[in-house]
C-alpha cells in the first residue's frame, strides 16, 4: 500500500512508537489523524508534521471509551475524507508475577491492550469494507510471541492482540482489508516508565533496545510491501522466535533461572 495521501489513524500518537510512526508516515506523504489523551502533546506533534510540509489533525481520544473511539473514526472521515490505515498502537505494560499482580492492574492492562484495540477495529472496518480497501496495523510485541516471566499478563495481552489480527486477516480478506501484526522488542521510549505493577523498579531488559524511529521506519517499509508480520531485526527478534520454536524447553529453563536471579 502506498503511504502517499493515505489517511491514517494512529492511537497512542503522543509519544514513543506512536509518535515516531506519525512522523515517519507523514514524511512519506500520509495524512495523519493523531489520537491519544494527551492533547498538548498531540498539538506539538501536529505542528512538527505541518512544519515539515505534512498534514495532521488532532483528535483527543480515550481509546478505552467505545463512544470516544467511534467519534475518533467519524471525525477522521469528516476531516480527511476516509480511513485507509488504522495503527493500533496505544498500550501499557505490566511488570508483576502472575500470582502477585493486582486485579485492577490486570483489568486496566487488558482494557487498553486488547479491548480498546478491538473497539478501534470495529470502528474502522465498516468504512474500509465500503472502500473495499484498508489496512489495520496492530503493534504487538516480541512478548506476544515468546512468554517472558514477570510480564506474563502483558505477554497474554499481546498474544490476544496477535490472535485478533490473524483472525481479522482471514475474515476480511474478501473485503480488501489487510492486517499487519508488528512485533517490536525492547524499545527506547517512556513505555517502561508508564507501566503498571512494579513502577519503582527498572524492568529487566531481556533484549537490547532499539529506537522508536527504527521501529517506525521498519513498519513504513512493511506497509509499502504489504507485509503481514513485521519483526524489527533479524537478531535478536527473529533469532529469538526460532530459538523458542527449536528449543522451547531450554529457553524456558533459562528464563526460569533468570527470574530466580531477578527475585534475589
Amino acid at each position: 500500500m502506498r503511504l502517499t495521501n493515505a489517511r491514517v489513524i494512529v492511537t497512542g500518537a503522543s509519544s514513543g512508537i506512536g509518535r515516531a510512526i506519525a512522523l515517519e508516515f507523514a514524511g512519506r506523504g500520509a495524512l495523519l489523524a493523531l489520537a491519544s489523551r494527551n492533547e498538548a502533546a498531540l498539538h506539538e506533534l501536529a505542528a512538527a508534521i505541518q512544519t515539515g510540509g505534512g498534514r495532521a489533525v488532532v483528535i483527543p481520544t480515550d481509546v478505552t471509551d467505545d463512544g470516544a473511539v467511534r467519534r475518533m473514526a467519524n471525525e477522521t472521515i469528516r476531516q480527511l475524507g476516509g480511513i485507509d490505515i488504522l495503527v493500533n498502537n496505544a498500550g501499557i505494560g505490566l511488570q508483576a508475577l502472575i500470582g502477585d499482580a493486582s486485579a485492577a492492574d490486570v483489568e486496566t492492562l487488558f482494557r487498553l491492550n486488547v479491548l480498546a484495540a478491538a473497539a478501534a477495529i470495529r470502528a474502522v472496518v465498516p468504512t474500509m469494507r465500503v472502500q473495499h480497501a484498508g489496512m489495520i496495523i496492530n503493534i504487538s510485541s516480541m512478548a506476544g510471541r515468546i512468554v517472558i516471566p514477570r510480564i506474563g499478563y502483558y505477554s497474554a495481552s499481546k498474544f490476544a492482540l496477535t490472535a485478533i489480527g490473524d483472525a481479522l486477516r482471514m475474515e476480511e480478506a474478501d473485503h480488501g482489508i489487510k492486517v499487519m501484526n508488528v512485533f517490536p522488542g525492547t524499545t527506547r521510549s517512556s513505555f517502561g516508565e508508564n507501566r503498571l505493577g512494579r513502577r519503582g523498579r527498572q524492568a529487566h531488559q531481556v533484549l537490547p533496545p532499539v529506537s522508536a524511529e527504527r521501529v517506525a521506519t521498519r513498519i513504513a517499509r512493511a506497509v509499502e510491501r504489504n507485509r503481514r508480520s513485521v519483526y524489527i531485526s533479524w537478531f535478536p527478534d527473529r533469532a529469538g522466535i526460532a530459538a523458542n520454536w527449536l528449543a522451547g524447553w531450554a529457553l524456558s529453563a533459562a528464563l526460569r533461572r533468570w527470574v530466580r536471579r531477578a527475585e534475589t
Side-chain angles (χ1 to χ4, degrees):
M1 174 181 286
R2 289 177 57 83
L3 281 168
T4 304
N5 293 323
R7 299 154 298 186
V8 183
I9 298 174
V10 181
T11 68
S14 58
S15 64
I17 291 175
R19 186 180 193 278
I21 289 172
L23 289 168
E24 180 68 28
F25 281 26
R28 295 173 184 251
L31 313 177
L32 276 300
L34 308 175
S36 87
R37 291 180 299 180
N38 190 335
E39 185 172 357
L42 292 182
H43 281 292
E44 182 275 330
L45 174 58
I49 289 171
Q50 291 158 4
T51 298
R55 182 182 177 191
V57 298
V58 170
I59 308 177
T61 306
D62 177 358
V63 294
T64 64
D65 180 337
D66 280 15
V69 171
R70 289 191 295 272
R71 288 191 293 275
M72 173 189 75
N74 291 336
E75 189 64 16
T76 300
I77 294 167
R78 187 184 73 81
Q79 295 202 49
L80 300 183
I83 303 169
D84 297 304
I85 299 174
L86 165 68
V87 182
N88 259 330
N89 170 74
I92 197 167
L94 170 57
Q95 182 188 356
L97 298 176
I98 295 295
D100 294 344
S102 74
D105 279 352
V106 174
E107 182 177 343
T108 297
L109 177 82
F110 277 87
R111 183 182 300 120
L112 182 54
N113 290 7
V114 181
L115 300 181
I121 290 168
R122 292 194 300 272
V124 305
V125 159
T127 296
M128 292 182 177
R129 285 174 177 165
V130 171
Q131 296 171 170
H132 203 75
M135 177 178 284
I136 293 168
I137 303 172
N138 293 321
I139 307 301
S140 183
S141 168
M142 284 296 292
R145 297 301 307 274
I146 300 174
V147 177
I148 300 171
R150 296 174 66 228
I151 59 168
Y153 284 115
Y154 175 72
S155 284
S157 73
K158 292 301 184 177
F159 268 90
L161 182 60
T162 300
I164 288 170
D166 288 342
L168 181 68
R169 183 185 300 113
M170 293 182 280
E171 292 169 355
E172 299 297 332
D174 290 343
H175 294 106
I177 300 173
K178 298 177 174 65
V179 180
M180 176 192 300
N181 288 327
V182 183
F183 303 99
T186 307
T187 306
R188 287 192 295 272
S189 71
S190 60
F191 181 81
E193 299 169 10
N194 299 324
R195 71 185 186 275
L196 302 168
R198 304 183 71 172
R199 296 180 179 83
R201 179 173 177 173
Q202 178 64 36
H204 184 81
Q205 292 182 345
V206 177
L207 302 175
V210 299
S211 69
E213 290 73 22
R214 180 178 174 186
V215 175
T217 299
R218 183 71 182 88
I219 293 169
R221 290 174 181 168
V223 169
E224 293 172 342
R225 297 169 185 172
N226 291 316
R227 302 298 192 200
R228 293 171 41 163
S229 298
V230 180
Y231 299 90
I232 307 309
S233 60
W234 280 96
F235 183 85
D237 295 353
R238 285 186 178 273
I241 295 297
N244 186 54
W245 182 73
L246 291 170
W249 64 270
L251 182 61
S252 294
L255 288 171
R256 285 196 300 271
R257 289 194 296 272
W258 166 75
V259 75
R260 283 196 294 268
R261 289 197 302 271
E263 290 302 310
T264 59

mmCIF file with all atom_site columns, all heavy atoms in Angstrom, residues 46-63:
data_model
loop_
_atom_site.group_PDB
_atom_site.id
_atom_site.type_symbol
_atom_site.label_atom_id
_atom_site.label_alt_id
_atom_site.label_comp_id
_atom_site.label_asym_id
_atom_site.label_entity_id
_atom_site.label_seq_id
_atom_site.pdbx_PDB_ins_code
_atom_site.Cartn_x
_atom_site.Cartn_y
_atom_site.Cartn_z
_atom_site.occupancy
_atom_site.B_iso_or_equiv
_atom_site.pdbx_formal_charge
_atom_site.auth_seq_id
_atom_site.auth_comp_id
_atom_site.auth_asym_id
_atom_site.auth_atom_id
_atom_site.pdbx_PDB_model_num
ATOM 1   N N   . ALA A 1 46 ? 1.487   17.588 15.810 1.00 0.00 ? 46 ALA A N   1
ATOM 2   C CA  . ALA A 1 46 ? 0.845   18.088 14.586 1.00 0.00 ? 46 ALA A CA  1
ATOM 3   C C   . ALA A 1 46 ? 1.600   19.289 14.029 1.00 0.00 ? 46 ALA A C   1
ATOM 4   O O   . ALA A 1 46 ? 1.781   19.415 12.809 1.00 0.00 ? 46 ALA A O   1
ATOM 5   C CB  . ALA A 1 46 ? -0.613  18.458 14.874 1.00 0.00 ? 46 ALA A CB  1
ATOM 6   N N   . ALA A 1 47 ? 2.060   20.165 14.920 1.00 0.00 ? 47 ALA A N   1
ATOM 7   C CA  . ALA A 1 47 ? 2.825   21.333 14.476 1.00 0.00 ? 47 ALA A CA  1
ATOM 8   C C   . ALA A 1 47 ? 4.132   20.907 13.817 1.00 0.00 ? 47 ALA A C   1
ATOM 9   O O   . ALA A 1 47 ? 4.533   21.479 12.789 1.00 0.00 ? 47 ALA A O   1
ATOM 10  C CB  . ALA A 1 47 ? 3.105   22.259 15.664 1.00 0.00 ? 47 ALA A CB  1
ATOM 11  N N   . ALA A 1 48 ? 4.783   19.890 14.385 1.00 0.00 ? 48 ALA A N   1
ATOM 12  C CA  . ALA A 1 48 ? 6.030   19.395 13.800 1.00 0.00 ? 48 ALA A CA  1
ATOM 13  C C   . ALA A 1 48 ? 5.783   18.805 12.414 1.00 0.00 ? 48 ALA A C   1
ATOM 14  O O   . ALA A 1 48 ? 6.574   19.013 11.485 1.00 0.00 ? 48 ALA A O   1
ATOM 15  C CB  . ALA A 1 48 ? 6.650   18.349 14.718 1.00 0.00 ? 48 ALA A CB  1
ATOM 16  N N   . ILE A 1 49 ? 4.679   18.075 12.264 1.00 0.00 ? 49 ILE A N   1
ATOM 17  C CA  . ILE A 1 49 ? 4.346   17.487 10.961 1.00 0.00 ? 49 ILE A CA  1
ATOM 18  C C   . ILE A 1 49 ? 4.039   18.580 9.946  1.00 0.00 ? 49 ILE A C   1
ATOM 19  O O   . ILE A 1 49 ? 4.500   18.536 8.792  1.00 0.00 ? 49 ILE A O   1
ATOM 20  C CB  . ILE A 1 49 ? 3.156   16.522 11.119 1.00 0.00 ? 49 ILE A CB  1
ATOM 21  C CG1 . ILE A 1 49 ? 3.593   15.264 11.882 1.00 0.00 ? 49 ILE A CG1 1
ATOM 22  C CG2 . ILE A 1 49 ? 2.566   16.150 9.756  1.00 0.00 ? 49 ILE A CG2 1
ATOM 23  C CD1 . ILE A 1 49 ? 2.463   14.344 12.268 1.00 0.00 ? 49 ILE A CD1 1
ATOM 24  N N   . GLN A 1 50 ? 3.277   19.576 10.365 1.00 0.00 ? 50 GLN A N   1
ATOM 25  C CA  . GLN A 1 50 ? 2.904   20.654 9.457  1.00 0.00 ? 50 GLN A CA  1
ATOM 26  C C   . GLN A 1 50 ? 4.105   21.505 9.072  1.00 0.00 ? 50 GLN A C   1
ATOM 27  O O   . GLN A 1 50 ? 4.215   21.960 7.922  1.00 0.00 ? 50 GLN A O   1
ATOM 28  C CB  . GLN A 1 50 ? 1.801   21.497 10.094 1.00 0.00 ? 50 GLN A CB  1
ATOM 29  C CG  . GLN A 1 50 ? 0.477   20.746 10.185 1.00 0.00 ? 50 GLN A CG  1
ATOM 30  C CD  . GLN A 1 50 ? -0.469  21.296 11.233 1.00 0.00 ? 50 GLN A CD  1
ATOM 31  O OE1 . GLN A 1 50 ? -0.184  22.307 11.875 1.00 0.00 ? 50 GLN A OE1 1
ATOM 32  N NE2 . GLN A 1 50 ? -1.603  20.625 11.430 1.00 0.00 ? 50 GLN A NE2 1
ATOM 33  N N   . THR A 1 51 ? 5.036   21.690 9.993  1.00 0.00 ? 51 THR A N   1
ATOM 34  C CA  . THR A 1 51 ? 6.266   22.418 9.685  1.00 0.00 ? 51 THR A CA  1
ATOM 35  C C   . THR A 1 51 ? 7.061   21.697 8.603  1.00 0.00 ? 51 THR A C   1
ATOM 36  O O   . THR A 1 51 ? 7.711   22.328 7.762  1.00 0.00 ? 51 THR A O   1
ATOM 37  C CB  . THR A 1 51 ? 7.126   22.575 10.949 1.00 0.00 ? 51 THR A CB  1
ATOM 38  O OG1 . THR A 1 51 ? 6.400   23.352 11.920 1.00 0.00 ? 51 THR A OG1 1
ATOM 39  C CG2 . THR A 1 51 ? 8.444   23.276 10.647 1.00 0.00 ? 51 THR A CG2 1
ATOM 40  N N   . GLY A 1 52 ? 6.994   20.370 8.623  1.00 0.00 ? 52 GLY A N   1
ATOM 41  C CA  . GLY A 1 52 ? 7.686   19.579 7.610  1.00 0.00 ? 52 GLY A CA  1
ATOM 42  C C   . GLY A 1 52 ? 6.915   19.446 6.311  1.00 0.00 ? 52 GLY A C   1
ATOM 43  O O   . GLY A 1 52 ? 7.339   18.693 5.420  1.00 0.00 ? 52 GLY A O   1
ATOM 44  N N   . GLY A 1 53 ? 5.794   20.149 6.186  1.00 0.00 ? 53 GLY A N   1
ATOM 45  C CA  . GLY A 1 53 ? 5.027   20.124 4.953  1.00 0.00 ? 53 GLY A CA  1
ATOM 46  C C   . GLY A 1 53 ? 3.928   19.081 4.918  1.00 0.00 ? 53 GLY A C   1
ATOM 47  O O   . GLY A 1 53 ? 3.269   18.902 3.887  1.00 0.00 ? 53 GLY A O   1
ATOM 48  N N   . GLY A 1 54 ? 3.686   18.384 6.031  1.00 0.00 ? 54 GLY A N   1
ATOM 49  C CA  . GLY A 1 54 ? 2.653   17.360 6.071  1.00 0.00 ? 54 GLY A CA  1
ATOM 50  C C   . GLY A 1 54 ? 1.336   17.882 6.603  1.00 0.00 ? 54 GLY A C   1
ATOM 51  O O   . GLY A 1 54 ? 1.201   19.071 6.925  1.00 0.00 ? 54 GLY A O   1
ATOM 52  N N   . ARG A 1 55 ? 0.366   16.988 6.697  1.00 0.00 ? 55 ARG A N   1
ATOM 53  C CA  . ARG A 1 55 ? -0.941  17.352 7.228  1.00 0.00 ? 55 ARG A CA  1
ATOM 54  C C   . ARG A 1 55 ? -1.300  16.412 8.358  1.00 0.00 ? 55 ARG A C   1
ATOM 55  O O   . ARG A 1 55 ? -1.157  15.189 8.229  1.00 0.00 ? 55 ARG A O   1
ATOM 56  C CB  . ARG A 1 55 ? -2.018  17.286 6.142  1.00 0.00 ? 55 ARG A CB  1
ATOM 57  C CG  . ARG A 1 55 ? -3.401  17.725 6.668  1.00 0.00 ? 55 ARG A CG  1
ATOM 58  C CD  . ARG A 1 55 ? -4.480  17.615 5.623  1.00 0.00 ? 55 ARG A CD  1
ATOM 59  N NE  . ARG A 1 55 ? -5.789  17.974 6.191  1.00 0.00 ? 55 ARG A NE  1
ATOM 60  C CZ  . ARG A 1 55 ? -6.948  17.783 5.584  1.00 0.00 ? 55 ARG A CZ  1
ATOM 61  N NH1 . ARG A 1 55 ? -6.979  17.244 4.357  1.00 0.00 ? 55 ARG A NH1 1
ATOM 62  N NH2 . ARG A 1 55 ? -8.081  18.123 6.174  1.00 0.00 ? 55 ARG A NH2 1
ATOM 63  N N   . ALA A 1 56 ? -1.775  16.986 9.461  1.00 0.00 ? 56 ALA A N   1
ATOM 64  C CA  . ALA A 1 56 ? -2.185  16.187 10.610 1.00 0.00 ? 56 ALA A CA  1
ATOM 65  C C   . ALA A 1 56 ? -3.321  16.886 11.324 1.00 0.00 ? 56 ALA A C   1
ATOM 66  O O   . ALA A 1 56 ? -3.330  18.115 11.453 1.00 0.00 ? 56 ALA A O   1
ATOM 67  C CB  . ALA A 1 56 ? -1.017  15.979 11.574 1.00 0.00 ? 56 ALA A CB  1
ATOM 68  N N   . VAL A 1 57 ? -4.293  16.098 11.777 1.00 0.00 ? 57 VAL A N   1
ATOM 69  C CA  . VAL A 1 57 ? -5.382  16.620 12.583 1.00 0.00 ? 57 VAL A CA  1
ATOM 70  C C   . VAL A 1 57 ? -5.314  15.974 13.958 1.00 0.00 ? 57 VAL A C   1
ATOM 71  O O   . VAL A 1 57 ? -4.899  14.820 14.101 1.00 0.00 ? 57 VAL A O   1
ATOM 72  C CB  . VAL A 1 57 ? -6.753  16.356 11.932 1.00 0.00 ? 57 VAL A CB  1
ATOM 73  C CG1 . VAL A 1 57 ? -6.833  17.070 10.590 1.00 0.00 ? 57 VAL A CG1 1
ATOM 74  C CG2 . VAL A 1 57 ? -7.018  14.872 11.766 1.00 0.00 ? 57 VAL A CG2 1
ATOM 75  N N   . VAL A 1 58 ? -5.691  16.727 14.957 1.00 0.00 ? 58 VAL A N   1
ATOM 76  C CA  . VAL A 1 58 ? -5.636  16.282 16.348 1.00 0.00 ? 58 VAL A CA  1
ATOM 77  C C   . VAL A 1 58 ? -7.023  15.844 16.791 1.00 0.00 ? 58 VAL A C   1
ATOM 78  O O   . VAL A 1 58 ? -7.994  16.610 16.676 1.00 0.00 ? 58 VAL A O   1
ATOM 79  C CB  . VAL A 1 58 ? -5.097  17.402 17.258 1.00 0.00 ? 58 VAL A CB  1
ATOM 80  C CG1 . VAL A 1 58 ? -5.264  17.032 18.733 1.00 0.00 ? 58 VAL A CG1 1
ATOM 81  C CG2 . VAL A 1 58 ? -3.641  17.693 16.931 1.00 0.00 ? 58 VAL A CG2 1
ATOM 82  N N   . ILE A 1 59 ? -7.122  14.610 17.290 1.00 0.00 ? 59 ILE A N   1
ATOM 83  C CA  . ILE A 1 59 ? -8.397  14.083 17.776 1.00 0.00 ? 59 ILE A CA  1
ATOM 84  C C   . ILE A 1 59 ? -8.166  13.494 19.168 1.00 0.00 ? 59 ILE A C   1
ATOM 85  O O   . ILE A 1 59 ? -7.866  12.299 19.300 1.00 0.00 ? 59 ILE A O   1
ATOM 86  C CB  . ILE A 1 59 ? -8.975  13.011 16.823 1.00 0.00 ? 59 ILE A CB  1
ATOM 87  C CG1 . ILE A 1 59 ? -9.021  13.534 15.394 1.00 0.00 ? 59 ILE A CG1 1
ATOM 88  C CG2 . ILE A 1 59 ? -10.360 12.579 17.294 1.00 0.00 ? 59 ILE A CG2 1
ATOM 89  C CD1 . ILE A 1 59 ? -9.501  12.515 14.381 1.00 0.00 ? 59 ILE A CD1 1
ATOM 90  N N   . PRO A 1 60 ? -8.251  14.294 20.234 1.00 0.00 ? 60 PRO A N   1
ATOM 91  C CA  . PRO A 1 60 ? -8.049  13.758 21.584 1.00 0.00 ? 60 PRO A CA  1
ATOM 92  C C   . PRO A 1 60 ? -9.035  12.621 21.850 1.00 0.00 ? 60 PRO A C   1
ATOM 93  O O   . PRO A 1 60 ? -10.249 12.776 21.638 1.00 0.00 ? 60 PRO A O   1
ATOM 94  C CB  . PRO A 1 60 ? -8.334  14.962 22.488 1.00 0.00 ? 60 PRO A CB  1
ATOM 95  C CG  . PRO A 1 60 ? -8.125  16.161 21.599 1.00 0.00 ? 60 PRO A CG  1
ATOM 96  C CD  . PRO A 1 60 ? -8.576  15.728 20.238 1.00 0.00 ? 60 PRO A CD  1
ATOM 97  N N   . THR A 1 61 ? -8.522  11.489 22.297 1.00 0.00 ? 61 THR A N   1
ATOM 98  C CA  . THR A 1 61 ? -9.368  10.292 22.425 1.00 0.00 ? 61 THR A CA  1
ATOM 99  C C   . THR A 1 61 ? -8.896  9.433  23.585 1.00 0.00 ? 61 THR A C   1
ATOM 100 O O   . THR A 1 61 ? -7.706  9.125  23.695 1.00 0.00 ? 61 THR A O   1
ATOM 101 C CB  . THR A 1 61 ? -9.310  9.441  21.142 1.00 0.00 ? 61 THR A CB  1
ATOM 102 O OG1 . THR A 1 61 ? -9.627  10.245 20.007 1.00 0.00 ? 61 THR A OG1 1
ATOM 103 C CG2 . THR A 1 61 ? -10.273 8.263  21.217 1.00 0.00 ? 61 THR A CG2 1
ATOM 104 N N   . ASP A 1 62 ? -9.843  9.026  24.412 1.00 0.00 ? 62 ASP A N   1
ATOM 105 C CA  . ASP A 1 62 ? -9.605  7.966  25.391 1.00 0.00 ? 62 ASP A CA  1
ATOM 106 C C   . ASP A 1 62 ? -10.050 6.662  24.726 1.00 0.00 ? 62 ASP A C   1
ATOM 107 O O   . ASP A 1 62 ? -11.244 6.401  24.599 1.00 0.00 ? 62 ASP A O   1
ATOM 108 C CB  . ASP A 1 62 ? -10.407 8.225  26.665 1.00 0.00 ? 62 ASP A CB  1
ATOM 109 C CG  . ASP A 1 62 ? -10.251 7.111  27.708 1.00 0.00 ? 62 ASP A CG  1
ATOM 110 O OD1 . ASP A 1 62 ? -9.554  6.110  27.433 1.00 0.00 ? 62 ASP A OD1 1
ATOM 111 O OD2 . ASP A 1 62 ? -10.837 7.247  28.806 1.00 0.00 ? 62 ASP A OD2 1
ATOM 112 N N   . VAL A 1 63 ? -9.075  5.862  24.283 1.00 0.00 ? 63 VAL A N   1
ATOM 113 C CA  . VAL A 1 63 ? -9.422  4.680  23.488 1.00 0.00 ? 63 VAL A CA  1
ATOM 114 C C   . VAL A 1 63 ? -10.102 3.592  24.305 1.00 0.00 ? 63 VAL A C   1
ATOM 115 O O   . VAL A 1 63 ? -10.602 2.614  23.739 1.00 0.00 ? 63 VAL A O   1
ATOM 116 C CB  . VAL A 1 63 ? -8.182  4.100  22.765 1.00 0.00 ? 63 VAL A CB  1
ATOM 117 C CG1 . VAL A 1 63 ? -7.662  5.077  21.724 1.00 0.00 ? 63 VAL A CG1 1
ATOM 118 C CG2 . VAL A 1 63 ? -7.094  3.708  23.753 1.00 0.00 ? 63 VAL A CG2 1
#
